[in-house]
Amino acid sequence: MQVLELLILPPASGLIAIVLGLLFWGRRLGKGLVYAGIAWLYVAATPLFAGWLLAGLERGYPVAPPLPEAAGAIVVLAGGRHPDAPEYGGETVSPHSLERLRYGARLHRDTGLPLLVSGGRGRGDEPAAEADLLADVLEGELGVAVRWRETESRNTCENALFSAHLLAEAGIEHALLVSHALHMPRAVWC
């Protein structure tokens, strides 16, 4: 299923059309595939098309859903790091992580629920876990306390597993999840 999705979605689908077209270049079909592949790559790269694709994802995860009363915490998933930010004294959170942090802080202020930040060292050799970078921004810049830091995960499924374990130890079975629409299907599945 995931391989099929990768082949259908841009840019792979456009590149496949171009390669097939080059293989059959001597025929009319070949030239048509090359031109169609180039056109598809162009259309897929436009902000209008990207926005249309993203809107389809966001419909499944509304920005302000009714908050379940059973939620006992807010889980903010890391969205990457900026490894060399001298203006911040070294590494810091990526723009995606910062967007998630802002929304997590807002939810915390609106609900009073405690925060768990989740993210380890994806490659294993980074100086700090992403959860520590997230917590530094939440506490130091946004003035929001972090109750739990999940620092051992290397991927989304480990985020879910290790975060659930921390929350279960605190007697919490349900949480609000903060991520991006593009990442949410994988995060919810995990």
Side-chain angles (χ1 to χ4, degrees):
M1 175 75 165
Q2 287 181 337
V3 172
L4 184 60
E5 286 177 18
L6 289 174
L7 294 175
I8 292 171
L9 293 174
S13 54
L15 294 173
I16 290 169
I18 291 169
V19 168
L20 288 174
L22 291 173
L23 290 173
F24 297 103
W25 184 254
R27 300 178 187 164
R28 193 168 59 183
L29 173 66
K31 291 178 183 177
L33 280 171
V34 169
Y35 296 137
I38 291 170
W40 173 238
L41 287 175
Y42 174 77
V43 168
T46 62
L48 182 64
F49 185 78
W52 177 76
L53 283 178
L54 192 57
L57 285 171
E58 289 175 341
R59 277 192 293 276
Y61 306 97
V63 175
L67 300 177
E69 293 181 20
I74 299 165
V75 176
V76 180
L77 296 180
R81 66 177 75 231
H82 183 47
D84 184 26
E87 66 275 22
Y88 290 103
E91 59 176 2
T92 188
V93 299
S94 71
H96 284 315
S97 286
L98 188 56
E99 290 173 357
R100 295 173 187 188
L101 289 174
R102 286 187 63 211
Y103 192 67
R106 179 178 178 184
L107 278 176
H108 167 73
R109 288 187 181 105
D110 290 348
T111 64
L113 293 172
L115 282 165
L116 181 152
V117 291
S118 182
R121 292 172 174 86
R123 291 190 329 256
D125 62 348
E126 296 92 346
E130 284 189 62
D132 291 331
L133 298 174
L134 297 174
D136 290 347
V137 172
L138 278 168
E139 294 175 343
E141 298 177 30
L142 300 176
V144 175
V146 173
R147 175 141 344 142
W148 304 277
R149 296 180 188 204
E150 182 286 300
T151 60
E152 300 303 315
S153 60
R154 295 166 296 177
N155 56 53
T156 303
C157 286
E158 286 184 359
N159 286 136
L161 180 66
F162 301 155
S163 295
H165 179 71
L166 288 171
L167 293 175
E169 286 179 344
I172 297 172
E173 295 180 13
H174 300 283
L176 303 177
L177 181 62
V178 178
S179 187
H180 280 88
L182 189 61
H183 183 246
M184 196 61 84
R186 180 176 65 224
V188 169
W189 182 83
C190 288

